[in-house]
Amino acid sequence: AAAQEAGHAANIDVTVQRVHRDGRTFYDVNAKGFARATPPVVWNVLTDYERLPKFVPNLQSTKLLSRNAQETIIEQNGQAGFLFITQSIHLVLRVVEQPISVIDIVLLSGDMKHYVSHWEIAIAQQGASSGTLITYSGEMEPDFFVPPLFGAALIRSDVRKMLTAVIKEI
């Protein structure tokens, strides 16, 4: 299992930069991973919101608040941590889906000053394997203290764990 997980992690690229723009400081996140599955399979895992806490580390709960043809509203509770300090995070998010290709997420309320994310999935080839390229990008500005020297590394680690878990679940 460890070798399989290491194989998944090797297919994941994550960059995080601390950005200062328009009087704000936030983290710009970009990640890519490859899954040996079709886009519909990947889509079903990514959009099964209430099941995500079963396999995504640090995500404790997701509750579907409403859903219609245009958007889904979800509430998520999770944790972020560094050494002996842990921070509970509560978010209410608007999710807009373009089926089997794009998921856009915007913060409605919660423990972030600013949070947007964008998921894309597309048919891809990696070596001799056919599958799906999963691309994640986002901007986040926590509404709690994040150590400046370690913030980017903490977020990079969390995003890598999240994407590794998603690919493993797929």
Side-chain angles (χ1 to χ4, degrees):
Q4 184 180 14
E5 192 165 318
H8 289 307
N11 298 332
I12 295 172
D13 180 38
V14 180
T15 61
V16 177
Q17 293 182 311
R18 196 162 180 240
V19 177
H20 305 282
R21 187 183 327 139
D22 301 328
R24 292 183 26 235
T25 300
F26 60 91
Y27 294 94
D28 184 53
V29 181
N30 291 284
K32 290 184 180 192
F34 179 80
R36 289 178 185 89
T38 64
V41 170
V42 173
W43 182 261
N44 288 339
V45 170
L46 288 175
T47 58
D48 191 356
Y49 305 113
E50 292 185 304
R51 227 180 131 268
L52 294 175
K54 292 187 185 311
F55 59 89
V56 173
N58 300 326
L59 183 57
Q60 297 168 324
S61 67
T62 298
K63 182 178 179 184
L64 191 67
L65 299 179
S66 69
R67 179 176 226 142
N68 62 43
Q70 290 77 38
E71 67 183 24
T72 301
I73 307 297
I74 60 174
E75 177 181 41
Q76 291 187 326
N77 290 292
Q79 271 191 329
F82 177 67
L83 297 177
F84 302 108
I85 302 166
T86 59
Q87 173 69 44
S88 293
I89 300 171
H90 174 260
L91 304 173
V92 177
L93 306 164
R94 174 184 293 123
V95 181
V96 178
E97 302 171 356
Q98 295 175 36
I100 313 185
S101 63
V102 173
I103 303 167
D104 285 307
I105 303 170
V106 177
L107 176 72
L108 295 177
S109 64
D111 296 321
M112 295 276 187
K113 292 178 187 174
H114 173 72
Y115 178 85
V116 295
S117 66
H118 178 83
W119 292 82
E120 278 187 44
I121 63 173
I123 294 172
Q125 196 79 19
Q126 188 174 71
S129 297
S130 294
T132 302
L133 178 65
I134 303 168
T135 304
Y136 170 86
S137 60
E139 293 180 357
M140 56 187 73
E141 181 181 5
D143 201 12
F144 50 87
F145 177 74
V146 176
L149 291 175
F150 305 110
L154 293 171
I155 292 168
R156 186 178 310 107
S157 174
D158 279 353
V159 170
R160 180 177 300 280
K161 287 176 189 172
M162 172 191 65
L163 199 48
T164 298
V166 166
I167 291 171
K168 186 177 176 188
E169 180 68 14
I170 291 166

